[in-house]
Amino acid sequence: MSREKLSDLLNQYLAGTISKEDLRVLLDLMAIDDQRQVEPIIDKLIKEKGPLDDTSEHFNQGAVMNSIRRRICSGYLPGTRWLAAGIATFLVILSVLLYQNSDKKVSIHQKAIASDIFLPEKNHVILRLTDGTQYDLSQAPLKTLNEIGVNIVTEDDGQTRFVFTPASIEKTGFYTIKNGKGHTCQLQLTDGSRIWLNAGATLSYPSRFPESRRHVTLEGEAFFQVAHDEHRPFNVSTAHTVVQVLGTQFNIAADSSTGFTHTTLVEGSVAVTNGNQTRLLQPGWQATTEDTTPGILTDTVNLRDVLAWKDGYFRFNDHTIAEVMAQVAAWYGIEHIHIDEQTGDRFTGSVSKAQKLSDVLLQLTEISNYRFKIKERSVYIMK
């Protein structure tokens, strides 16, 4: 294969000038060539479009290239017009990495912008006390926050952490924190445990932990960094699952729309209970439970995939369009997703969450057979 030919075709694609015929040639070249010859060309293109960090934890080039090779070598998939799933996987990586340096505009941007969904400028973190009183922690005066036992700490990266202190809290009972759409938020409970809430997640916790145990309930997704206390186990309850720890780091995603809860251990050990069954997890393992079905399924997972939301990314690993849009909908508060017909396209890579919805859909449009239309708070997906 001619290195110059491959480089020229890739540049044509990134410039938006490649023809369907040349795109087929590009796919064929990658299908027959050795991976060791393809990778340096990709490296060179990324560096030329820089400055970009292709060693980021959100871009595992080796894993991506292996996925590309498996797809391309299997040939074209039925049901696609002219873009095979293999090239779609390859292009999602390049497009995501290089999109910020491209001036190319396509029709999706102009069509979507009139009814676009933008991220809120400020996050709305709502604290509801036992008596039903509510406070927006992002908007309330500092004096009010101090009176209800909330301090605000600004991290080195500019992020805000809400720290709860028992000394200022007079009322007892369970408090509830609900995080807004389009943002994550950081909390620190009275025992020193830190929690990151994903968009739309709700956490209920006591104003003061008793001496015997620490217990919170969760709806949605959160990452926990539990302060060690051998005399007081820390329990997290979802609709049907209980996770017990002494001090560790783990992620829980409790999806009420599907009925599944995924518990992923990052560090330490946890016990996951569903009904009469209990499983102990080791780091890198995930337990899956379901509302209506007893039992616990366990398997190893890629921690970078699971925790990408905490670092501000959507992360896709051989995802269908339905799986991709489930993540996108939860972040932007999309009310309805309408998919006319699914193609064989799969998505692998990471996309920043810090942008308006049309920018995310633009990137998906450029590397797949799908077209998107935003209307009010719904997204229509067409071939």
Side-chain angles (χ1 to χ4, degrees):
M1 179 197 70
S2 167
R3 293 170 59 91
E4 293 76 14
K5 180 64 173 178
L6 176 58
S7 181
D8 179 61
L9 291 175
L10 291 178
N11 274 304
Q12 285 185 46
Y13 171 77
L14 295 173
T17 59
I18 194 168
S19 66
K20 294 181 182 180
E21 291 72 20
D22 282 341
L23 189 54
R24 290 193 184 97
V25 173
L26 174 59
L27 182 62
D28 290 340
L29 287 174
M30 293 188 66
I32 64 176
D33 195 62
D34 188 274
Q35 175 180 336
R36 288 171 296 180
Q37 295 187 41
V38 176
E39 289 180 342
I41 298 175
I42 296 175
D43 286 338
K44 184 173 183 293
L45 279 173
I46 292 173
K47 290 176 182 177
E48 288 176 350
K49 301 291 182 179
L52 295 169
D53 181 12
D54 64 336
T55 63
S56 166
E57 64 175 346
H58 301 289
F59 179 53
N60 186 333
Q61 180 170 305
V64 171
M65 288 302 299
N66 288 335
S67 177
I68 294 169
R69 295 294 301 173
R70 288 195 301 270
R71 300 226 183 152
I72 293 175
C73 291
S74 66
Y76 287 89
L77 299 180
T80 59
R81 294 199 301 269
W82 50 271
L83 187 63
I87 201 69
T89 304
F90 165 71
L91 294 177
V92 72
I93 295 300
L94 281 185
S95 293
V96 169
L97 286 173
L98 306 178
Y99 171 75
Q100 61 184 352
N101 297 317
S102 173
D103 294 326
K104 181 170 52 173
K105 304 296 181 181
V106 295
S107 60
I108 178 66
H109 189 66
Q110 287 80 14
K111 290 180 179 179
I113 197 165
S115 56
D116 209 345
I117 298 178
F118 294 83
L119 296 176
E121 291 185 6
K122 293 184 177 181
N123 192 15
H124 295 283
V125 182
I126 306 301
L127 170 65
R128 186 173 71 248
L129 305 184
T130 306
D131 61 5
T133 305
Q134 294 191 145
Y135 299 91
D136 187 337
L137 300 186
S138 302
Q139 308 292 329
L142 290 178
K143 180 180 179 181
T144 301
L145 294 178
N146 290 334
E147 290 174 352
I148 61 175
V150 181
N151 293 331
I152 295 180
V153 174
T154 302
E155 307 284 5
D156 293 338
D157 60 2
Q159 298 295 313
T160 297
R161 172 160 44 103
F162 299 104
V163 179
F164 298 93
T165 57
S168 302
I169 299 176
E170 298 178 357
K171 300 177 181 179
T172 59
F174 264 75
Y175 292 179
T176 299
I177 287 278
K178 183 172 180 59
N179 189 35
K181 294 291 185 180
H183 291 275
T184 60
C185 77
Q186 296 184 40
L187 312 174
Q188 182 172 314
L189 302 183
T190 55
D191 69 328
S193 295
R194 296 181 63 177
I195 302 172
W196 286 254
L197 294 181
N198 203 348
T202 299
L203 183 81
S204 296
Y205 62 97
S207 57
R208 296 176 185 268
F209 286 119
E211 295 182 0
S212 59
R213 66 169 187 161
R214 298 168 290 172
H215 181 250
V216 301
T217 61
L218 174 69
E219 297 177 17
E221 185 168 24
F223 177 81
F224 292 81
Q225 190 176 69
V226 176
H228 182 77
D229 187 340
E230 61 180 346
H231 302 295
R232 292 192 300 173
F234 192 103
N235 291 351
V236 182
S237 296
T238 66
H240 58 280
T241 302
V242 177
V243 177
Q244 184 180 75
V245 304
L246 292 176
T248 188
Q249 298 182 27
F250 59 99
N251 193 85
I252 300 181
D255 189 341
S256 59
S257 65
T258 63
F260 287 98
T261 295
H262 304 285
T263 303
T264 308
L265 182 62
V266 177
E267 182 180 294
S269 64
V270 299
V272 178
T273 301
N274 182 25
N276 295 324
Q277 294 194 29
T278 299
R279 293 285 186 274
L280 294 176
L281 293 185
Q282 297 299 318
W285 282 77
Q286 182 180 86
T288 299
T289 56
E290 188 178 3
D291 282 350
T292 58
T293 304
I296 303 172
L297 298 177
T298 59
D299 200 357
T300 57
V301 293
N302 186 326
L303 292 179
R304 291 186 303 167
D305 292 350
V306 174
L307 301 178
W309 70 267
K310 182 172 170 284
D311 297 325
Y313 289 86
F314 298 111
R315 185 162 177 85
F316 313 127
N317 188 355
D318 202 35
H319 283 33
T320 64
I321 187 62
E323 292 169 330
V324 167
M325 292 308 298
Q327 290 192 41
V328 174
W331 182 251
Y332 289 96
I334 299 171
E335 296 176 357
H336 300 287
I337 300 290
H338 305 271
I339 304 176
D340 285 352
E341 182 180 350
Q342 292 200 43
T343 71
D345 293 328
R346 295 276 183 161
F347 300 85
T348 295
S350 298
V351 179
S352 172
K353 290 183 171 184
Q355 52 190 330
K356 60 183 181 293
L357 176 60
S358 63
D359 286 341
V360 173
L361 299 183
L362 173 60
Q363 294 173 59
L364 298 179
T365 297
E366 294 206 357
I367 48 78
S368 74
N369 284 311
Y370 293 110
R371 298 296 177 265
F372 302 84
K373 179 181 178 181
I374 305 171
K375 185 176 181 181
E376 296 177 347
R377 298 201 71 83
S378 297
V379 175
Y380 298 83
I381 305 172
M382 302 149 285
K383 291 174 61 179

